[in-house]
Amino acid sequence: ILVAGSHGKPLRALLKHDLIDTFYQEATIVSHYIRRGYRVSWNSVFGQDPPDLMVADPAKGLFVDVEVKVKFGKATIETMFDSLSRGLGSLKRRGREANKMAVVTVHNADDLGWEGWLSDLEVQKRLQSRLSDPAYKIISGVVFSGGQTILNHEDGARQFGTRYVAFRSETANHPLPYGFLTTGSKI
């Protein structure tokens, strides 16, 4: 992809921050689900998206399309929800073989105070207006992320990740099982 997308100059493609940041965020999601025992297909690396990723647990009949959007520059609640709308547009372009469940993740480099988003009235209003719209019924879950988090393990190892807030849509045509977006059983 780097060779094809850079007209034969892959090193030049590595200088495109939007390409690297997007692949990095996708790799973080791939790593998260592989560690949890899911099978993951990374479609965007092979130019076969949308969706960017497909996460599956065939034994449970679970197949989820994941669309990843990276917001560059200063982010606000409004710009993050604009990126969510672009994620919806990408999912609508899926082929006829699309999975029933779909997740849109929107990432920005900054932490926008995600814990506060769980009780922020503006965020709740935007989520409700979007997820109650019939066009958004194909979205089973939404993740907003940004900032950095470091987990220190007892053996001295460190795990680097991003801070995030996840929302499971109760109004989706095909809701996600609880615990899919996070390891907690409530979301």
Side-chain angles (χ1 to χ4, degrees), residues 155-169:
D155 63 359
R158 295 172 70 179
Q159 182 179 342
F160 297 86
T162 186
R163 300 176 61 79
Y164 66 93
V165 63
F167 300 95
R168 179 183 172 274
S169 174

Side-chain angles (χ1 to χ4, degrees), residues 23-186:
F23 281 164
Y24 173 76
Q25 292 311 315
E26 291 173 359
T28 301
I29 296 167
V30 168
S31 174
H32 171 77
Y33 283 105
I34 287 176
R35 280 181 290 168
R36 290 179 58 196
Y38 290 93
R39 289 179 40 202
V40 181
S41 300
W42 194 349
N43 301 344
S44 65
V45 169
F46 300 102
Q48 298 172 351
D49 59 336
D52 296 316
L53 308 168
M54 288 190 298
V55 179
D57 185 345
K60 294 181 181 176
L62 180 68
F63 299 90
V64 182
D65 292 344
V66 180
E67 185 63 29
V68 180
K69 295 296 179 193
V70 176
K71 171 72 181 111
F72 297 101
K74 184 70 177 151
T76 63
I77 292 173
E78 184 176 336
T79 61
M80 296 297 276
F81 275 91
D82 288 346
S83 293
L84 172 62
S85 296
R86 285 194 294 282
L88 171 66
S90 294
L91 288 172
K92 284 183 174 181
R93 291 192 302 272
R94 295 179 296 177
R96 290 181 303 213
E97 300 299 318
N99 297 318
K100 294 178 181 178
M101 294 179 221
V103 173
V104 175
T105 69
V106 182
H107 180 79
N108 181 272
D110 299 324
D111 179 352
L112 296 182
W114 308 120
E115 292 88 353
W117 279 37
L118 295 171
S119 58
D120 186 301
L121 295 178
E122 183 180 353
V123 171
Q124 290 177 9
K125 183 174 100 176
R126 287 179 186 269
L127 266 177
Q128 289 172 357
S129 71
R130 298 255 187 340
L131 298 179
S132 63
D133 183 329
Y136 280 79
K137 299 281 187 206
I138 66 171
I139 296 179
S140 304
V142 179
V143 178
F144 295 105
S145 68
Q148 296 181 5
T149 185
I150 302 172
L151 299 174
N152 294 311
H153 297 281
E154 290 179 11
D155 63 359
R158 295 172 70 179
Q159 182 179 342
F160 297 86
T162 186
R163 300 176 61 79
Y164 66 93
V165 63
F167 300 95
R168 179 183 172 274
S169 174
E170 295 285 348
T171 62
N173 291 334
H174 304 282
L176 292 168
Y178 286 101
F180 179 81
L181 293 175
T182 66
T183 54
S185 61
K186 294 182 179 180

